[in-house]
Amino acid sequence: MNDIDSQKQLLKRSVEAKDIFIPHISADPVVFGFDRNELKVLLAKMHYKKQWLLPGGYVGKDEDLDEAVVRILKSRAGVTNVFLEEFGVFGKKNRSEFYFEDFDETLFQKQRFISVGYYALSNSIDINPVADEISEICEWVYLKQLPEIDLAMDHREIIEKALLTLREKISYKPIGYNLLPEKFTFPELQKLYEAILGKELNRGNFYRKIKNLGILKKLEEQRRGGAHKSPDLYSFDQENYARALENGLNSW
Amino acid sequence: MNDIDSQKQLLKRSVEAKDIFIPHISADPVVFGFDRNELKVLLAKMHYKKQWLLPGGYVGKDEDLDEAVVRILKSRAGVTNVFLEEFGVFGKKNRSEFYFEDFDETLFQKQRFISVGYYALSNSIDINPVADEISEICEWVYLKQLPEIDLAMDHREIIEKALLTLREKISYKPIGYNLLPEKFTFPELQKLYEAILGKELNRGNFYRKIKNLGILKKLEEQRRGGAHKSPDLYSFDQENYARALENGLNSW
């Protein structure tokens, strides 16, 4: 789609949006996946401008905010069945003023929006992102690639806040259930923790701490097919995992 | 102020508000204090209706959201110098529809608002709440009194979510610096933890855990004047406390 067509499309959307949505509030989902020992995040690029964006959207006049973000993620990225949790609100007055610079103030999308950030952890192999009609592309981008790409508005800050929230959560909640496959090895779990924390962990300490939490069960089977000794497979002990989620890892 | 006057006042405010504020977004501060071994929260009652409310307000057209909540708390309750942290967004579509039932839809205050909740911990002896002109009263209410009082809209839910957030935070961050006086006894700190957690703690376990965190320093002086043996006084070790805030109580 060329520049003129993409601008026409946004103008048409603006007219529709004024009927459907309340102004000034948007929601941005930050969906994390874990793949090849790396964290990645779901991003989209609109036909208009070639910058990456979170697949966000607006809140319907007759829609709860929690319903809105689920609908937005489905319509903008084709993603369903992830648990979205609010982690921050982004309310700087000029946060998006440059993005729609080609339009005048009557464009719905150009007004001031305060955006509510939601994050989700997903087993990314179950998710095939689908771009909507205003997007050229919607796909996973590895966090390590983020420094090199052009992210619009304050979406870099939103992703960083989501990651910080995840990093804080990992200190008092178990993490992994939604990010890892059903069966995984201990080194895979460690790689996940290292990816979230952004640092390497001592193998022995990590092993001991995780064991003490009691959230894992060792399976009878080993993984086959590698060149090395078959590694042990684990899965989460659902009951203990749920209890640790509920009570925190270190209760008073 | 009688019913007619309070309604006139809100109508006048509505006209002004349309010029000053963006619609659909509000902010509600939940300020906690700790006094007589009990948690309390700052609430106001408007002249209009005799229900309790958080001292919330709207966001200026030319104001960041973070600036707005500070201004709101100052203008509605006379409170400054507390650290406000966002903890949740309340976006049900009908959350406030009954409150302004005496007005038609043109009242600014009656439209749909999505409210951003901020909580703060305060040393309540430094705070003397001052009601603004739309309020009959603004004062501390003990949490244990909440079941008996008439709270408007979803403000009970907002306070409960703030308390849950505090309860979760206490599992991985030190708490007390803003809630306790500079010098305090060990039993006072335990009472604070018990008030937040809503349960009694074993004295020996609590003592051992807190000692292990290294966030306290024992002072040379004792508290005088009681009938019993003078209890030891403590204060927070600023450096270790700051480090525990930064890194969490249990890092990986």
Side-chain angles (χ1 to χ4, degrees):
Chain A
M1 193 179 282
N2 65 32
D3 283 1
I4 305 288
D5 284 346
S6 71
Q7 291 187 27
K8 274 189 191 158
Q9 190 189 42
L10 289 181
L11 282 167
K12 182 165 168 282
R13 284 258 175 166
S14 168
V15 175
E16 295 162 359
K18 286 172 188 175
D19 275 343
I20 304 172
F21 301 119
I22 55 175
H24 299 301
I25 285 275
S26 57
D28 280 303
V30 184
V31 182
F32 290 112
F34 184 66
D35 185 22
R36 301 183 199 185
N37 293 335
E38 296 281 349
L39 281 174
K40 51 191 190 180
V41 62
L42 201 57
L43 294 178
K45 230 184 231 183
M46 281 165 70
H47 297 300
Y48 171 73
K49 288 203 170 175
K50 305 301 177 196
Q51 289 180 298
W52 289 98
L53 287 159
L54 293 161
Y58 310 116
V59 181
K61 287 180 179 170
D62 200 34
E63 187 180 46
D64 289 349
L65 176 63
D66 287 347
E67 293 168 357
V69 66
V70 171
R71 175 197 42 80
I72 288 165
L73 183 58
K74 184 177 175 189
S75 71
R76 298 246 20 227
V79 172
T80 56
N81 289 320
V82 298
F83 174 68
L84 289 153
E85 193 167 359
E86 188 265 316
F87 69 89
V89 185
F90 301 85
K92 290 221 179 77
K93 58 181 180 250
N94 58 357
R95 53 181 292 275
S96 59
E97 65 182 329
F98 297 115
Y99 189 77
F100 293 104
E101 59 187 348
D102 302 313
F103 298 89
D104 69 26
E105 309 301 322
T106 62
L107 189 82
F108 180 85
Q109 298 92 319
K110 190 172 178 167
Q111 68 189 301
R112 176 178 178 189
F113 280 96
I114 289 174
S115 191
V116 185
Y118 286 81
Y119 79 97
L121 307 177
S122 74
N123 187 337
S124 54
I125 54 167
D126 295 338
I127 290 183
N128 289 308
V130 182
D132 66 350
E133 61 170 15
I134 58 167
S135 306
E136 186 182 294
I137 194 169
C138 179
E139 64 178 26
W140 293 106
V141 177
Y142 285 100
L143 292 195
K144 66 178 173 190
Q145 295 175 292
L146 291 188
E148 298 144 33
I149 71 170
D150 190 9
L151 270 159
M153 306 186 202
D154 56 356
H155 287 203
R156 192 180 300 278
E157 184 192 330
I158 297 178
I159 296 166
E160 280 166 4
K161 177 78 190 287
L163 188 61
L164 274 179
T165 303
L166 198 53
R167 204 170 277 176
E168 200 164 82
K169 258 210 153 118
I170 211 176
S171 77
Y172 66 99
K173 299 274 188 189
I175 270 180
Y177 187 68
N178 302 309
L179 286 163
L180 291 170
E182 196 194 332
K183 301 168 185 181
F184 51 87
T185 66
F186 223 97
E188 284 166 351
L189 183 65
Q190 182 170 345
K191 288 288 182 195
L192 171 64
Y193 271 70
E194 290 178 340
I196 292 172
L197 293 166
K199 65 178 184 188
E200 287 191 17
L201 299 172
N202 175 283
R203 191 171 165 280
N205 285 344
F206 181 75
Y207 187 83
R208 201 168 340 104
K209 283 194 178 185
I210 289 286
K211 282 279 183 183
N212 285 342
L213 298 181
I215 57 173
L216 290 191
K217 58 181 183 196
K218 191 171 163 180
L219 303 174
E220 293 298 316
E221 49 191 318
Q222 276 100 30
R223 183 171 294 162
R224 293 188 205 131
H228 304 282
K229 179 176 168 292
S230 305
D232 288 330
L233 283 171
Y234 293 82
S235 68
F236 288 111
D237 181 313
Q238 306 249 1
E239 208 174 307
N240 288 351
Y241 192 96
R243 195 178 308 126
L245 260 190
E246 179 71 20
N247 299 335
L249 295 178
N250 33 293
S251 54
W252 278 92
Chain B
M1 194 179 277
N2 67 31
D3 284 1
I4 306 289
D5 285 345
S6 72
Q7 291 187 29
K8 275 189 193 155
Q9 190 188 41
L10 289 181
L11 281 167
K12 183 165 166 283
R13 285 257 174 166
S14 168
V15 176
E16 295 161 1
K18 286 173 188 173
D19 275 342
I20 304 172
F21 301 118
I22 55 174
H24 299 303
I25 284 275
S26 57
D28 279 304
V30 184
V31 182
F32 290 112
F34 185 66
D35 185 23
R36 301 182 199 186
N37 293 334
E38 296 282 348
L39 280 174
K40 52 191 189 178
V41 64
L42 201 57
L43 295 178
K45 230 183 230 183
M46 281 164 71
H47 297 300
Y48 171 74
K49 288 202 170 175
K50 304 302 176 197
Q51 289 180 300
W52 291 97
L53 286 158
L54 294 162
Y58 310 116
V59 181
K61 287 179 180 170
D62 200 35
E63 187 180 45
D64 290 350
L65 176 62
D66 288 347
E67 293 168 358
V69 68
V70 172
R71 174 194 46 79
I72 288 165
L73 184 58
K74 184 178 176 188
S75 71
R76 298 247 18 227
V79 172
T80 55
N81 288 320
V82 298
F83 174 69
L84 290 153
E85 192 168 1
E86 188 267 314
F87 69 89
V89 184
F90 301 85
K92 290 222 179 75
K93 58 181 180 248
N94 57 359
R95 54 181 291 274
S96 58
E97 67 182 325
F98 296 116
Y99 190 75
F100 293 102
E101 59 187 347
D102 301 314
F103 297 89
D104 68 27
E105 309 301 322
T106 62
L107 190 81
F108 180 85
Q109 299 92 321
K110 191 173 178 166
Q111 68 189 303
R112 176 179 178 188
F113 280 97
I114 289 174
S115 191
V116 184
Y118 286 79
Y119 79 98
L121 308 177
S122 75
N123 187 338
S124 54
I125 53 166
D126 295 336
I127 290 183
N128 289 309
V130 181
D132 65 352
E133 62 169 16
I134 58 168
S135 305
E136 185 181 295
I137 194 169
C138 178
E139 64 178 25
W140 292 107
V141 177
Y142 284 101
L143 291 194
K144 67 178 173 189
Q145 294 175 293
L146 291 188
E148 298 144 31
I149 71 171
D150 190 7
L151 271 160
M153 307 183 201
D154 56 357
H155 286 203
R156 192 179 299 278
E157 185 191 329
I158 297 177
I159 297 167
E160 281 166 4
K161 177 81 191 286
L163 189 61
L164 274 179
T165 304
L166 199 53
R167 205 169 278 176
E168 201 163 80
K169 255 207 157 121
I170 211 176
S171 77
Y172 68 99
K173 298 272 189 193
I175 270 180
Y177 186 69
N178 303 309
L179 287 163
L180 291 171
E182 196 195 332
K183 301 167 185 182
F184 50 86
T185 66
F186 222 97
E188 284 166 351
L189 183 65
Q190 181 170 345
K191 288 288 182 194
L192 171 63
Y193 271 71
E194 290 178 340
I196 291 171
L197 293 165
K199 64 178 184 188
E200 288 190 18
L201 299 172
N202 175 283
R203 190 170 166 280
N205 285 344
F206 181 74
Y207 188 83
R208 200 168 340 103
K209 283 193 178 185
I210 289 286
K211 281 278 184 186
N212 285 341
L213 298 181
I215 56 173
L216 289 191
K217 57 181 182 198
K218 192 171 164 180
L219 303 174
E220 292 298 316
E221 50 191 318
Q222 275 101 32
R223 182 171 294 164
R224 293 186 205 132
H228 304 284
K229 178 179 168 293
S230 304
D232 289 329
L233 283 171
Y234 294 81
S235 68
F236 287 110
D237 181 311
Q238 305 249 3
E239 208 174 308
N240 289 351
Y241 192 95
R243 194 178 309 127
L245 260 190
E246 177 71 21
N247 300 334
L249 295 178
N250 34 289
S251 54
W252 278 94

